[in-house]
Amino acid sequence: MKLKISLAAVLATSMLTSTAVWAGPEIVAGPGAEPECFAPWSADTKYMQWPAKEGPYKIAIVNGFVGNTWRIQMIKTAKAYAEDPAIKDKIAEFKVVSTGTDAPAQLGAIEDFINQGYDAIVTIAVAPDGFDRVIRLADKNNVVLVPFDNVLDTDAVMQVNEDQLAMGRMWAEFAMKELAAAGVTEGKILEVRGLPGNSVDRDRSIGINEVIAASGGKWEVVSVVGNWDDGTTQKVVADAIAVHGQFAAIVGQGGSNGVIQAMKDAGHPWVPVAGESENGFRKAIAEYKDAGLKGISIGQSPGLVAVAMKAAISALEGNPMPQLISVPLPVADYTTLEDGKNFWSDLPDNFFTVNEFPPCGVNISGPAIMAKDESDVN
């Protein structure tokens, strides 16, 4: 009997200890800190609160893929924002690593930073799932883990993103509207996908194809993979034009400069084109709009990393935070583009044009970003 009681007591103690260790952030009532900046995704978004820690903090950026200009600019932006007077004194150590497309390598890097005693880890997830182990480890150590851009299919961590499904729908709605205005109701539409395996690519593609399917037109959608990279996109679009001939419209997730160059090289007529916020793409729309290039540019900003860093620091300070933070979609089209306002003729074509978030007090200049490099900070 004594043995049974002793074992029961040990088991009960173990369960209580386990509950305490793996509790993670507390679910609390809203509103959260700075709601004009950290807007909840919806009315149903829950709020999370971590125990307040005294700063300054050790913060790491764990990127995955780094083989396109968006990711390179994102890393440069993170480095520039870490030196911003608004947060510089709140950061004791700042590290950046890029692990490639291998999910175990990214998970290993996150675990390593947790074990080194880092307070917050901001990451672009290589895949939307498989992070349960590092989430539990982060909770155990009171580490704030903040995925952004390519987010996770979980509500167990605080995340920062723009609405990727809505972005895909808006691209396709623009193309359908322009085609309808021109009296075009059938033909081939080229869809340029992003990096395979990511939630962003998946959700954008779902939105694009939902709208096209619901339009009532007789459309054949041809999909190619451009990896959100200008060079890769130029090649796959050129190959698609060579194989399929003329497209009625092109809807691309990124690598938009490559779309334009491939169309030029092939002598493809200007048609409605939907794409990202690359400076060169916006330059081209402004230049060729009267020749038939009806374009829309919706920016998934590399500056999201700054909002994610700011959110991590706010959480470490003990503030209630939305579990999923919504950043508005910045949209410009051939009717609203203005040099010096939403594109810059004196900046490189591969510069992403949207890096200001006034409600968050985040405004990182192009020169400050371009002055950095994409190398790891160890």
Side-chain angles (χ1 to χ4, degrees):
M1 177 63 74
K2 288 182 179 180
L3 179 59
K4 290 181 180 178
I5 292 173
S6 176
L7 287 173
V10 169
L11 180 59
T13 301
S14 175
M15 290 176 67
L16 287 171
T17 302
S18 176
T19 300
V21 167
W22 300 104
E26 183 182 357
I27 304 303
V28 298
E34 299 186 55
E36 69 284 357
C37 174
F38 306 125
W41 195 267
S42 71
D44 298 326
T45 300
K46 66 185 181 182
Y47 287 79
M48 311 172 85
Q49 187 172 27
W50 286 259
K53 285 186 178 182
E54 185 176 350
Y57 307 110
K58 298 171 68 175
I59 297 176
I61 308 292
V62 180
N63 179 46
F65 180 71
V66 74
N68 61 37
T69 54
W70 194 98
R71 293 296 183 98
I72 291 170
Q73 186 172 324
M74 180 275 296
I75 292 171
K76 293 181 178 184
T77 302
K79 291 179 178 181
Y81 186 59
E83 296 177 0
D84 189 288
I87 69 162
K88 184 176 182 179
D89 292 341
K90 297 181 179 183
I91 299 178
E93 291 185 32
F94 181 69
K95 300 289 180 70
V96 178
V97 297
S98 294
T99 59
T101 58
D102 182 49
Q106 186 176 51
L107 294 171
I110 292 171
E111 287 182 340
D112 187 43
F113 280 120
I114 293 172
N115 292 330
Q116 288 182 48
Y118 273 71
D119 299 298
I121 299 166
V122 175
T123 185
I124 296 186
V126 168
D129 51 26
F131 279 69
D132 293 350
R133 184 179 78 245
V134 294
I135 292 171
R136 291 194 297 268
L137 185 62
D139 288 346
K140 179 181 178 181
N141 291 274
N142 281 324
V143 174
V144 178
L145 180 63
V146 188
F148 75 100
D149 183 46
N150 288 330
V151 294
L152 303 176
D153 289 338
T154 179
D155 63 355
V157 293
M158 178 175 65
Q159 309 196 78
V160 175
N161 206 7
E162 295 170 351
D163 191 332
Q164 308 301 323
L165 189 65
M167 189 183 294
R169 288 171 177 160
M170 290 169 68
W171 277 328
E173 286 166 357
F174 172 86
M176 294 296 100
K177 179 181 177 182
E178 291 297 326
L179 289 171
V184 181
T185 58
E186 62 180 316
K188 296 178 182 178
I189 296 175
L190 180 61
E191 178 195 14
V192 185
R193 299 285 300 263
L195 191 66
N198 285 283
S199 61
V200 168
D201 170 69
R202 175 198 65 197
D203 294 348
R204 290 177 175 180
S205 183
I206 289 171
I208 290 166
N209 285 278
E210 279 181 353
V211 170
I212 294 173
S215 70
K218 296 179 180 180
W219 306 113
E220 177 188 349
V221 178
V222 176
S223 292
V224 295
V225 176
N227 290 340
W228 301 319
D229 174 66
D230 285 343
T232 305
T233 296
Q234 182 177 339
K235 181 181 185 307
V236 297
V237 171
D239 290 345
I241 293 171
V243 171
H244 295 279
Q246 186 172 328
F247 291 96
I250 300 177
V251 182
Q253 292 195 21
S256 309
N257 296 327
V259 171
I260 297 301
Q261 192 59 52
M263 294 177 74
K264 284 183 176 180
D265 291 346
H268 191 289
W270 293 123
V271 296
V273 178
E276 254 274 12
S277 65
E278 298 97 329
N279 195 46
F281 179 50
R282 292 189 172 189
K283 287 182 189 177
I285 295 171
E287 181 177 356
Y288 297 111
K289 63 181 181 180
D290 293 335
L293 177 56
K294 308 302 184 185
I296 187 172
S297 170
I298 306 179
Q300 174 79 345
S301 172
L304 281 174
V305 68
V307 179
M309 290 165 65
K310 181 179 173 73
I313 291 171
S314 181
L316 289 169
E317 291 172 338
N319 296 310
M321 302 293 292
Q323 181 271 316
L324 185 55
I325 295 170
S326 175
V327 179
L329 293 171
V331 181
D333 65 22
Y334 67 96
T335 68
T336 61
L337 284 170
E338 183 179 339
D339 194 1
K341 180 179 179 181
N342 47 24
F343 77 95
W344 288 265
S345 56
D346 58 345
L347 286 180
D349 286 355
N350 61 6
F351 182 79
F352 283 82
T353 55
V354 185
N355 293 287
E356 301 85 26
F357 302 91
C360 296
V362 173
N363 186 5
I364 310 165
S365 72
I369 294 169
M370 299 305 289
K372 303 299 179 183
D373 62 42
E374 68 273 23
S375 61
D376 288 354
V377 178
N378 298 312

